[in-house]
Amino acid sequence: MNTVSGLIKTMRPKQWTKNFILFAGLLFSHNLADIHKLKLATMAFLLFCGLSGSVYIINDILDVEKDRNHPKKKFRPIASGMVSVKGALIFLCGLLFTTLYISYRLNVQFFYVGVLYFLLITFYSFILKHLVIIDVMAIALGFVLRAIAGVVVIDALISPWLLLCTFLLALFLALNKRKAELEIKKNSRKILEEYSKELLSEMISIVTASTVMAYSLYSFTAYDHVYMMLTIPFVVYGIFRYEYIVHKKNLGETPETVLLKDKPLIVNIILWIISCIAVLYR
């Protein structure tokens, strides 16, 4: 039982909140009430949890010796011995094969996007995370691929507005994560040496303004009515709330924790979703 819980922990379940972006295509393509497509989107979400979890397992297997000498990472399941390297490898092969096979049977286009996503985050883990600016752009691209996967699996049209807003919002989160890591100064990421607080602050200012403007333009032009603009305040509050959390509560290093624990932000996201449904499905 400890081995099973250890394997699940190695897959970083807290990180799976990022995969909820797969439901965006379902919501904005007016297919939320379609039970069949809702099932497809849910299956896609679970498959992406498997794909992202696979990369974390690969990371922990390769870094097992380094993690054993780290004050915090030594408690990870593989580094601590809760899960053996051999057991993790066997589980990884089974997980990857099952996830990719089901993805292929579910939707071929979705399968291709999933493979591309897996290759991207694997490439990021080994190379791209060491390249300044490209590191945060790669993270943002991973979110875009999630959004695309959520659209192709339900056979809907891909909106350029969805991709642009997703990219900018993900870039906003990634830059804030880097800034928080830099301020805490407890992170061993070598890439942080390439950044400065001033540089990241300027980047965040540009991306924040771009995100709000992109979403605002989307709400003005993407539909025949203007009621979608009523959802803009929720987006603005969400961005400001996140900035507040980063600066006042020092949680920017773990955005997945923010999405799970900050009640005002959770309530705001729920209200934004409800308002979008009210406008799009009225």
Side-chain angles (χ1 to χ4, degrees):
M1 191 66 181
N2 287 336
T3 301
V4 175
S5 62
L7 287 169
I8 295 175
K9 187 177 179 181
T10 304
M11 292 175 66
R12 313 281 206 280
K14 289 183 179 180
Q15 301 284 349
W16 295 351
T17 53
K18 300 173 183 177
N19 295 323
F20 279 112
I21 193 67
L22 274 89
F23 291 99
L26 186 74
L27 172 63
F28 292 105
S29 63
H30 297 83
N31 286 306
L32 194 60
D34 190 317
I35 301 300
H36 175 64
K37 291 187 176 181
L38 178 60
K39 290 180 179 178
L40 290 175
T42 303
M43 181 62 71
F45 167 81
L46 295 175
L47 290 170
F48 260 71
C49 290
L51 286 174
S52 58
S54 298
V55 177
Y56 290 122
I57 295 175
I58 293 174
N59 286 339
D60 284 4
I61 291 175
L62 294 176
D63 295 339
V64 61
E65 295 301 328
K66 187 190 300 182
D67 289 349
R68 283 171 179 165
N69 296 316
H70 192 279
K72 289 185 178 180
K73 295 180 180 180
K74 66 180 181 180
F75 296 110
R76 288 179 175 177
I78 298 177
S80 66
M82 181 188 295
V83 176
S84 67
V85 173
K86 182 180 179 181
L89 279 171
I90 293 173
F91 178 75
L92 171 65
C93 292
L95 177 64
L96 261 181
F97 175 80
T98 303
T99 301
L100 292 176
Y101 176 75
I102 296 176
S103 297
Y104 184 80
R105 294 297 301 269
L106 186 67
N107 184 292
V108 176
Q109 287 184 314
F110 173 78
F111 167 77
Y112 290 142
V113 177
V115 170
L116 185 58
Y117 168 80
F118 176 77
L119 292 176
L120 172 67
I121 57 177
T122 302
F123 194 42
Y124 168 82
S125 298
F126 291 100
I127 298 176
L128 299 182
K129 69 179 181 181
H130 302 298
L131 303 177
V132 64
I133 300 177
I134 292 178
D135 62 327
V136 290
M137 293 188 71
I139 293 174
L141 183 57
F143 278 84
V144 171
L145 288 175
R146 288 181 176 96
I148 293 174
V151 173
V152 298
V153 76
I154 61 173
D155 195 27
L157 294 176
I158 298 177
S159 167
W161 287 111
L162 173 63
L163 303 186
L164 177 61
C165 291
T166 299
F167 178 79
L168 290 172
L169 181 59
L171 200 56
F172 167 81
L173 295 175
L175 288 170
N176 271 291
K177 180 179 175 66
R178 287 290 182 268
K179 186 177 181 182
E181 291 170 342
L182 194 63
E183 290 177 343
I184 293 174
K185 295 181 179 178
K186 292 181 180 179
N187 197 293
S188 58
R189 292 178 186 270
K190 192 173 182 180
I191 190 63
L192 294 178
E193 298 175 3
E194 302 293 332
Y195 289 105
S196 67
K197 294 180 182 179
E198 294 75 19
L199 174 62
L200 287 169
S201 294
E202 289 187 18
M203 288 181 170
I204 291 171
S205 296
I206 294 171
V207 172
T208 300
S210 299
T211 303
V212 173
M213 285 305 302
Y215 185 83
S216 299
L217 289 171
Y218 154 74
S219 68
F220 295 152
T221 63
Y223 298 98
D224 295 332
H225 48 76
V226 296
Y227 294 109
M228 196 64 186
M229 65 184 291
L230 297 176
T231 65
I232 295 176
F234 295 108
V235 174
V236 174
Y237 174 82
I239 290 175
F240 286 174
R241 177 68 189 180
Y242 192 84
E243 283 286 334
Y244 166 79
I245 293 169
V246 170
H247 290 285
K248 293 295 184 179
K249 298 189 178 183
N250 298 321
L251 291 176
E253 190 181 8
T254 55
E256 64 281 355
T257 301
V258 174
L259 291 175
L260 290 172
K261 292 186 176 181
D262 188 71
K263 292 182 180 179
L265 187 58
I266 293 173
V267 171
N268 181 68
I269 292 173
I270 293 174
L271 291 175
W272 172 74
I273 293 173
I274 292 174
S275 65
C276 287
I277 293 173
V279 172
L280 297 174
Y281 295 83
R282 63 189 181 90

